[in-house]
Structures are given as structure tokens and as C-alpha cells.
């Protein structure tokens, strides 16, 4: 399926969502954000079939941040930041609340907003040649798209501030060393490995996996007592699924579980 600067392909129970505006290295425009919204609508319409999403970029980049082309030629300037709440934030919120796991396959540069998009993955896989960049200081802006929330929780305050103040590239290998991402692969096999991982997740207990996502998204802001209560609520819901009954049955019968995502 083709949307504005976005493509969506269904491979069994895996949806592959590609940022696809290669002329600008997949920089994000309002048109692309509209395309992403439409693609997520399509995924939600098939949520019973789609049990994992792979987010990647077309061509040689993952995403190089906001599309600034033509900004200086606009007759009526939009204040920097206005599109955050109207365009970027709705997409970020929808991704964080998605019903199934997300694998991000970072196939090239992930800068600015693109870095935040990459870090939204539950599993973050990178091509060896890829890199991350907090590019905002280069154009006189501050980090956005949730990066000041995500980065300190992933790599600590010191490294987060350094990335943002200095605006230096963070290569994939160093990002792995810091614990920012999960795995690094040679460029030629990145998508093969991402799809292999996505199919494994898609064959799992989808309701439980979505609740695991929720637990870890909510955990940083919760007290210990709050988190215990959330675990209790999520476990009640997971324990009421067909997949839980199948998992227990498979364990007792010493056979592989056949989860249906229900």
C-alpha cells in the first residue's frame, strides 16, 4: 500500500512500514506525517492479523529529521515547534500505544526526529554503517519528539546532554556499547534479520506482548507500588486470554505453543 511518502507492506502477520521520501533522505514533512497516520489506520483496521510492525527507511537513510526544504521561501512562516503538537506528537503517541511489538530497522542515518522514531522500537536493530545524531543545535533548536525523555532513561543524563550539546554522530557500534540499541548487523542482512525477529514476535502471545510494552512504557513515571498494581492489572488481563491457556497446555504437554494472538 502506498501513502504520502510512506509505504506499507504486509508479510503474513508482519507489517513493514517504510518512510519513503528518498530525495530528502526520508526527512519528515507534514505530508509524510499524514501518510504515517493513514498507514497506522490501515494497521489498526487489521489489528487481528498484524501482530508485529517493522519500521524502517527506504533507500540509504532511516530518517534525517524534519524536512526543512523550502522553509526560507515560505511567504507565511510557521513558528518552529507548532507542528510538534499537531503532527509529530499524535504519531509518537500512537506508536507508543500500538497493540503489538515494534521492531525498528535503522538502515542509515537517524537524525533529529528520526532518532526519536528509531528509539520508539521495542527492539532496535541497526545497520553497521548507520548512526544517530541529535541535530537540533546545528540549526538553533532544542531536542524534541520525546528525545529528552527517551535518552536519559536509556543512556543516562551525561551522555544525553553531550549528544545534544555537541551534535556529534553516534555510530551504531557505539550506540550498542552504550545500551541505546539492541543489535547491529552488516548492512546487507539488516532487513533479513529484522524480519526474522519480527516473525518470531508475531508468532507470540500478542496480548501479553502488548501489555509488556505498556508496563515498560509506564514504569519510569510510576512508584514501586504503582508498578505492582499495574503488573497485577496486566496479569489479570493476560491470564484471561486463549494464549495463556495454550501456553500452559503446551508447557504441560511438552510441545511448542501455537499462539493465536487472542
Amino acid at each position: 500500500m502506498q501513502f504520502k511518502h510512506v509505504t506499507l507492506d504486509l508479510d503474513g502477520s508482519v507489517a513493514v512500514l517504510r518512510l519513503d521520501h528518498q530525495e530528502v533522505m526520508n526527512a519528515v514533512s507534514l505530508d509524510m506525517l499524514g501518510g504515517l497516520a493513514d498507514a497506522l489506520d490501515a494497521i489498526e483496521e487489521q489489528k487481528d492479523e498484524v501482530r508485529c510492525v517493522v519500521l524502517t527507511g527506504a533507500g540509504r537513510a532511516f530518517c534525517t529529521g524534519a524536512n526543512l526544504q523550502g522553509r526560507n521561501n515560505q511567504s507565511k512562516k510557521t513558528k518552529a515547534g507548532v507542528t510538534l503538537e499537531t503532527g509529530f506528537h499524535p504519531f509518537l503517541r500512537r506508536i507508543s500505544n500500538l497493540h503489538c511489538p515494534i521492531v525498528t530497522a535503522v538502515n542509515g542515518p537517524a537524525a533529529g526526529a528520526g532518532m526519536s522514531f528509531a528509539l520508539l522500537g521495542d527492539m532496535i536493530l541497526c545497520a553497521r554503517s548507520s548512526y544517530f545524531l541529535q541535530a537540533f543545535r546545528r540549526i538553533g533548536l532544542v531536542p524534541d519528539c520525546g528525545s529528552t525523555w527517551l535518552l536519559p532513561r536509556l543512556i543516562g543524563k551525561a551522555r544525553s546532554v553531550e549528544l545534544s550539546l555537541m551534535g556529534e554522530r553516534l555510530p551504531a557500534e557505539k550506540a550498542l556499547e552504550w545500551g541505546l540499541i539492541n543489535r547491529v548487523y552488516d548492512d546487507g542482512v539488516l532487513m533479513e534479520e529484522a524480519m526474522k525477529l519480527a516473525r518470531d514476535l508475531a508468532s507470540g502471545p500478542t496480548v501479553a506482548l502488548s501489555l509488556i510494552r505498556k508496563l515498560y512504557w509506564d514504569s519510569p513515571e510510576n512508584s514501586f507500588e504503582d508498578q505492582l498494581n499495574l503488573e497485577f492489572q496486566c496479569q489479570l488481563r493476560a491470564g484471561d486470554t486463549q494464549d495463556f491457556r495454550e501456553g500452559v497446555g503446551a508447557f504441560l504437554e511438552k510441545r511448542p505453543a501455537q499462539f493465536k494472538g487472542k
Side-chain angles (χ1 to χ4, degrees):
M1 287 175 272
Q2 185 71 50
F3 303 97
K4 193 67 173 179
H5 301 320
V6 173
T7 59
L8 176 64
D9 296 307
L10 300 181
D11 185 336
S13 52
V14 176
V16 181
L17 183 59
R18 284 187 176 85
L19 309 177
D20 192 359
H21 194 183
Q22 298 182 48
E23 296 84 354
V24 292
M25 297 183 72
N26 303 328
V28 186
S29 60
L30 287 175
D31 283 343
M32 178 183 281
L33 289 168
L36 286 167
D38 291 339
L40 289 178
D41 286 343
I43 289 171
E44 288 298 321
E45 288 171 3
Q46 302 182 66
K47 64 185 300 183
D48 289 341
E49 288 77 35
V50 175
R51 296 169 61 188
C52 187
V53 172
V54 176
L55 176 63
T56 191
R60 59 193 180 95
F62 178 77
C63 174
T64 53
N67 188 347
L68 301 178
Q69 287 197 359
R71 182 172 177 84
N72 286 338
N73 299 323
Q74 293 174 358
S75 58
K76 185 178 180 180
K77 296 290 194 299
T78 300
K79 287 187 177 180
V82 170
T83 56
L84 287 175
E85 193 58 29
T86 59
F88 286 89
H89 291 176
F91 171 70
L92 297 169
R93 292 183 180 112
R94 290 186 71 179
I95 286 290
S96 69
N97 291 307
L98 201 65
H99 71 281
C100 63
I102 304 166
V103 176
T104 45
V106 185
N107 56 304
M115 183 171 180
S116 293
F117 285 12
L119 298 181
L120 289 172
D122 302 302
M123 294 290 291
I124 306 167
L125 280 52
C126 287
R128 205 169 301 279
S129 67
S130 67
Y131 63 86
F132 297 94
L133 178 65
Q134 284 288 287
F136 303 95
R137 59 99 68 195
R138 297 188 176 193
I139 56 171
L141 289 178
V142 302
D144 59 25
C145 288
S147 58
T148 59
W149 188 92
L150 290 162
L151 283 170
R153 287 163 172 79
L154 292 170
I155 57 174
K157 177 174 178 279
R159 284 172 170 165
S160 302
V161 172
E162 180 179 352
L163 285 175
S164 301
L165 288 182
M166 303 307 296
E168 297 172 341
R169 292 184 180 186
L170 178 65
E173 295 280 7
K174 181 62 71 172
L176 180 65
E177 180 185 322
W178 283 7
L180 185 67
I181 63 174
N182 297 100
R183 302 174 188 179
V184 174
Y185 294 104
D186 290 339
D187 292 30
V189 299
L190 173 66
M191 279 306 297
E192 176 186 343
E193 294 295 336
M195 292 302 295
K196 186 187 303 181
L197 176 60
R199 291 187 187 104
D200 181 56
L201 289 170
S203 68
T206 308
V207 175
L209 297 183
S210 71
L211 293 171
I212 290 170
R213 298 187 74 235
K214 176 177 176 57
L215 284 165
Y216 283 104
W217 269 104
D218 291 357
S219 173
E221 303 307 311
N222 282 346
S223 68
F224 182 61
E225 190 63 31
D226 289 338
Q227 195 67 11
L228 289 178
N229 289 332
L230 184 58
E231 289 177 352
F232 168 66
Q233 295 162 14
C234 290
Q235 201 69 292
L236 285 177
R237 186 176 167 197
D240 198 35
T241 61
Q242 295 177 26
D243 280 343
F244 169 63
R245 293 188 286 276
E246 164 62 13
V248 171
F251 175 79
L252 294 175
E253 296 166 17
K254 297 181 172 55
R255 61 173 174 80
Q258 300 295 317
F259 294 119
K260 303 298 183 183
K262 301 177 181 178

